[in-house]
Amino acid sequence: MSDKKFYITTPLYYVTAAPHLGSLYSTVLADVCARWQRLRGADVFLTTGTDEHGQKVAQAAQQATHQPQAFVDQFIPAYTSTWQQYEIAYNAFVRTTSMPHKMGAQEFVRRLIASGNTYRATYQGWYCTPCETFVGRGGSEQDAPIPCTSCNRMTSWVAEDTYFFKLSAYQEQLLSFYQNNPDFIAPKERLNEVISFVQEGLKDLSISRTTVQWGVSFPDQPEQVIYVWVEALCGYLTSVGFGQEERRDEFNYWWPADVQVMGKDIVKFHAIYWPAMLLAAGLPLPKRLLVHGWIKVDKQKMSKSLGNVVDPVPLGKQYGVDAVRYFLCRQLATNQDGEFSIEALEQHIASDLANDLGNLLNRVSVLAHMHNIFEITAPHQWSERSMRLRNEAWSVVQDAAMHMHDWAIHLAIARIWHLVNQANTYFHELEPWKLAKSDKDHFVQVLSATAHALYTISLLLWPIMPTKMAELFERLGTPISFGSSDFVDQLKSDNWRHTFLIKQGPALFEKPIKKEEQPVVQKEQSRMPTISIDEFLKTELLVGTIREASAVPHSDKLLKLIVDFGPYGTKQILAGVAKQYSSDLLMNKQALFVTNLQPRIMAGLESQGMMLMAKDEQGIARIMQSENVVPNGTRLQ
Ligand code: MSP
């Protein structure tokens, strides 16, 4: 084993659907960091996996009329095959429903209990199921639900007798940890947000649930399950052997994690709750968190609930997985949100990959072969101009390493591209096609210097585009093998003495062909005739909150809803949703309604409107909800 170990984790993804481009983004970033460390000679372990318990998953399974285990099982192949497609070189795929994980999570909670940092009390307050977060203790069930502080969606009331973790007792210890470890979070600005949050005062955290069954039993309390976030975070430990006696050495070797990657929406769990619980459990804290922003589509966070998710599978098939990996790392600065669009992706492929990089390789190989040069040897002495390119290459290696040290991958790429441009300028300026006729030695020198620059570039870019860069090594006749030596040290000492056995081949990157129709984001033609705006305005579409939902006698399809339209009062609306929604699932949900339809009688009851629904991929009608809570009676426009 190498003396440098590097343990990195991705978040464990909720399995309510196949992965989307947002999940891929966290995973690609972790893979790029892992590969970078491999290049630097470290012994690397990458954990990814799925977060399969909790209310959110249980509800999704119920809505799909599946048992939770069968429900989550069906999505696992989509994760593993997508990660395989995208060359994610993970060492462990932890499923939180696996036995070793469940045992490890229980062991972790036992340690919390043994540390004297837990107590039993009642949690009464609001809970956000999509985020699996306790939003605020206090209030009363009769109050109007408050929106989630993170996602702004409606919360639901929870009152249960649970176990609490004394998070508040760790406030000072956490603050001094942040102060002593200013690099704990990359990018730095996120650390300040965490510090202000902790300074405002920490409340104790409920760590068990009684009203949710789908989870890991709380130790010695079979009627309680461990709060899903506490249990899922343990996946970072259990994947490297925590809680398994026979893997004790392995665990001690890998833990603590060197980097944990996540989106900014889940930083609180990782930067506050997780370190505090690790302190209580007597375990070392992760060294660094890499927190990234959101991928947006048309300026909105890409998310399943907004229906604007991009499927990475056809995207990779159409544009090539390395190109998509490159785009995610280059276009999205880790410290900001970034916009995804097919146009930007195509433009980066055409200009950066096909023109700047692919063409340079092509020009070198075509020119060399045209003049029957297959083996390019380094000159005894480099010209001053070639030395400038060599120095430039070395300074780019150092700067890229510096940016990668901060995990500012986009800055590293920008710097690498400076070298790509410099190599193009060098080639263009020295006009080797003319030198081939007048000065053969100089001609070979230009080919050699350009090949050396390409070699440096391909090493630096290998973590981002592993397959394409392996192809580039192959074309240069310098396949690489990884050992325990650090490639930065190698580049420093190699002094440009390589011999290249240059090969011709197809274009490294194809320029995307402009198509009228985008197969990735498919648009269906509307089947309805067009109407004028005046005709549309005749329909009254209002937002309302379902205050009561009950079965309709003699109907297995209908539910009777009493809907609150704020200033427009309440209406009784019958909806054919009994098969997919239980009454309590609909309670206090906001939805969209047509409210000026002529009343009609259904199963002997009057319906004074219609709830808007849309069928999902499985053909099950789902209610349409607004992204944020808006006042009841708001008219859609
Ligand atoms: N299950 C929890 C994590 C538990 S870790 C012990 C969870 N899962 S998630 O599937 O909702 O999100 C996982 C990751 O995907 C998060 O890092 C989140 O930020 C990321 N993304 C989900 N949508 C995203 C975008 N639109 N853009 C970028 N990343 C986003 O949270």
Side-chain angles (χ1 to χ4, degrees):
M1 272 178 187
S2 152
D3 55 344
K4 279 190 288 173
K5 72 97 190 161
F6 184 77
Y7 177 33
I8 183 162
T9 64
T10 75
L12 306 186
Y13 303 98
Y14 290 127
V15 272
T16 50
H20 56 68
L21 201 65
S23 353
L24 178 72
Y25 181 46
S26 294
T27 317
V28 163
L29 288 183
D31 187 63
V32 170
C33 299
R35 285 175 186 272
W36 178 262
Q37 284 299 328
R38 262 181 211 126
L39 269 187
R40 303 221 57 178
D43 188 17
V44 173
F45 197 101
L46 167 59
T47 284
T48 187
T50 41
D51 182 356
E52 305 184 9
H53 287 123
Q55 193 167 334
K56 175 190 178 96
V57 172
Q59 270 184 11
Q62 192 192 3
Q63 283 173 10
T65 59
H66 273 69
Q67 288 303 315
Q69 188 66 61
F71 177 73
V72 292
D73 285 350
Q74 68 180 330
F75 295 116
I76 303 302
Y79 274 90
T80 50
S81 64
T82 309
W83 293 171
Q84 203 177 359
Q85 180 192 5
Y86 276 91
E87 308 163 273
I88 309 297
Y90 58 82
N91 302 82
F93 187 101
V94 58
R95 292 190 60 182
T96 59
T97 50
S98 69
M99 197 43 90
H101 170 80
K102 292 196 223 174
M103 312 261 291
Q106 286 179 328
E107 169 61 18
F108 184 79
V109 173
R110 266 194 210 100
R111 286 204 190 194
L112 295 185
I113 298 167
S115 72
N117 281 295
T118 59
Y119 61 92
R120 204 167 168 148
T122 305
Y123 178 88
Q124 287 210 55
W126 301 100
Y127 191 82
C128 174
T129 306
C131 298
E132 295 283 18
T133 309
F134 296 96
V135 175
R137 220 165 152 181
S140 122
E141 191 175 1
Q142 268 65 51
D143 297 343
I146 57 171
C148 170
T149 43
S150 169
C151 72
N152 226 9
R153 281 177 282 199
M154 193 109 68
T155 57
S156 43
W157 180 254
V158 167
E160 44 189 2
D161 180 23
T162 67
Y163 281 87
F164 279 82
F165 168 64
K166 288 183 195 163
L167 183 64
S168 56
Y170 284 88
Q171 182 158 335
E172 292 314 316
Q173 231 174 311
L174 284 175
L175 288 171
S176 63
F177 171 74
Y178 304 140
Q179 199 174 15
N180 297 332
N181 296 278
D183 287 338
F184 178 53
I185 303 184
K188 282 189 182 357
E189 48 268 43
R190 294 264 171 255
L191 181 64
N192 300 334
E193 291 163 19
V194 168
I195 293 176
S196 335
F197 187 89
V198 176
Q199 279 169 340
E200 275 170 30
L202 291 177
K203 296 201 175 65
D204 291 348
L205 177 71
S206 170
I207 55 164
S208 68
R209 304 288 314 266
T210 53
T211 51
V212 178
Q213 270 91 47
W214 180 235
V216 176
S217 314
F218 201 83
D220 308 318
Q221 301 292 331
E223 79 290 357
Q224 307 231 1
V225 297
I226 304 172
Y227 167 42
V228 66
W229 260 105
V230 174
E231 182 239 300
L233 286 162
C234 292
Y236 301 141
L237 306 174
T238 60
S239 72
V240 285
F242 179 78
Q244 299 158 64
E245 196 43 44
E246 67 285 6
R247 296 180 69 192
R248 182 189 286 264
D249 290 346
E250 192 187 334
F251 175 70
N252 289 336
Y253 176 71
W254 290 114
W255 189 259
D258 294 271
V259 178
Q260 301 211 263
V261 180
M262 74 212 60
K264 62 182 183 178
D265 48 334
I266 55 175
V267 71
K268 186 171 76 183
F269 299 93
H270 287 82
I272 303 173
Y273 303 170
W274 183 222
M277 289 189 294
L278 287 167
L279 285 170
L283 291 169
L285 307 195
K287 294 186 193 148
R288 215 158 188 208
L289 309 182
L290 168 57
V291 181
H292 63 75
W294 285 335
I295 300 182
K296 296 188 161 185
V297 173
D298 294 334
K299 304 206 166 56
Q300 284 194 299
K301 182 189 175 197
M302 194 182 62
S303 77
K304 221 177 108 215
S305 54
L306 287 179
N308 61 353
V309 292
V310 175
D311 183 346
V313 175
L315 195 70
K317 281 192 188 136
Q318 187 172 346
Y319 294 101
V321 290
D322 276 356
V324 176
R325 284 173 64 113
Y326 168 79
F327 178 75
L328 290 176
C329 292
R330 170 137 212 188
Q331 169 87 353
L332 303 163
T334 34
N335 58 344
Q336 283 166 17
D337 295 342
E339 186 73 18
F340 173 85
S341 73
I342 294 290
E343 293 71 27
L345 171 68
E346 289 188 342
Q347 198 237 314
H348 276 284
I349 297 175
S351 80
D352 309 355
L353 299 180
N355 273 353
D356 299 350
L357 184 55
N359 253 350
L360 184 59
L361 170 70
N362 198 39
R363 292 170 82 188
V364 172
S365 63
V366 167
L367 202 58
H369 283 225
M370 203 195 272
H371 294 90
N372 292 322
I373 293 176
F374 304 100
E375 188 176 303
I376 306 177
T377 48
H380 295 298
Q381 201 166 3
W382 294 101
S383 70
E384 194 257 303
R385 181 67 185 88
S386 302
M387 284 298 279
R388 255 202 288 149
L389 183 63
R390 190 177 116 178
N391 293 342
E392 188 61 47
W394 175 234
S395 102
V396 165
V397 173
Q398 287 171 300
D399 289 353
M402 179 190 75
H403 290 310
M404 289 303 278
H405 177 77
D406 293 332
W407 301 122
I409 302 171
H410 62 289
L411 295 181
I413 299 181
R415 195 70 186 105
I416 298 166
W417 237 261
H418 178 74
L419 179 56
V420 175
N421 293 334
Q422 289 301 313
N424 271 302
T425 309
Y426 169 86
F427 195 83
H428 189 74
E429 244 176 56
L430 291 180
E431 302 182 318
W433 50 94
K434 288 188 185 159
L435 289 175
K437 289 173 207 144
S438 59
D439 184 346
K440 197 85 174 184
D441 283 351
H442 201 182
F443 169 63
V444 176
Q445 177 174 158
V446 174
L447 294 181
S448 174
T450 313
H452 274 97
L454 279 169
Y455 175 71
T456 305
I457 290 161
S458 56
L459 269 173
L460 293 170
L461 289 177
W462 176 80
I464 295 148
M465 297 184 280
T467 301
K468 286 292 174 188
M469 291 308 105
E471 230 174 286
L472 212 168
F473 292 131
E474 195 51 42
R475 296 277 300 276
L476 293 173
T478 54
I480 53 157
S481 63
F482 299 105
S484 56
S485 55
D486 182 339
F487 86 104
V488 175
D489 293 343
Q490 276 175 29
L491 284 175
K492 190 177 179 181
S493 59
D494 85 353
N495 276 332
W496 278 25
R497 304 270 5 124
H498 287 282
T499 297
F500 296 97
L501 299 170
I502 208 112
K503 295 187 193 81
Q504 274 194 294
L508 196 57
F509 295 98
E510 293 287 350
K511 279 191 189 174
I513 302 157
K514 285 255 168 257
K515 292 193 185 101
E516 276 307 299
E517 290 224 323
Q518 291 295 351
V520 175
V521 184
Q522 279 183 0
K523 294 188 176 105
E524 244 183 59
Q525 282 297 310
S526 166
R527 286 174 293 116
M528 304 291 281
T530 52
I531 55 169
S532 71
I533 185 79
D534 293 338
E535 281 172 286
F536 170 71
L537 287 175
K538 285 183 196 156
T539 314
E540 186 178 56
L541 291 166
L542 297 184
V543 175
T545 296
I546 302 168
R547 293 290 180 214
E548 283 174 39
S550 53
V552 172
H554 314 300
S555 169
D556 56 354
K557 277 199 199 138
L558 293 174
L559 283 183
K560 183 177 93 177
L561 311 177
I562 303 298
V563 186
D564 176 359
F565 291 105
Y568 305 107
T570 54
K571 279 181 189 284
Q572 169 173 300
I573 292 175
L574 301 182
V577 290
K579 288 207 168 136
Q580 58 272 48
Y581 293 101
S582 61
S583 303
D584 54 331
L585 259 182
L586 291 180
M587 288 294 283
N588 290 325
K589 275 217 154 67
Q590 244 185 4
L592 310 177
F593 299 85
V594 183
T595 47
N596 62 338
L597 287 173
Q598 275 173 3
R600 48 182 197 141
I601 305 295
M602 297 159 83
L605 294 173
E606 184 180 276
S607 183
Q608 298 163 332
M610 186 174 84
M611 181 159 70
L612 291 187
M613 316 267 290
K615 286 192 176 155
D616 66 14
E617 310 94 272
Q618 279 131 19
I620 302 168
R622 301 282 175 210
I623 62 174
M624 296 285 95
Q625 289 185 287
S626 80
E627 184 199 354
N628 299 332
V629 178
V630 294
N632 289 326
T634 301
R635 193 177 171 147
L636 259 72
Q637 45 192 335

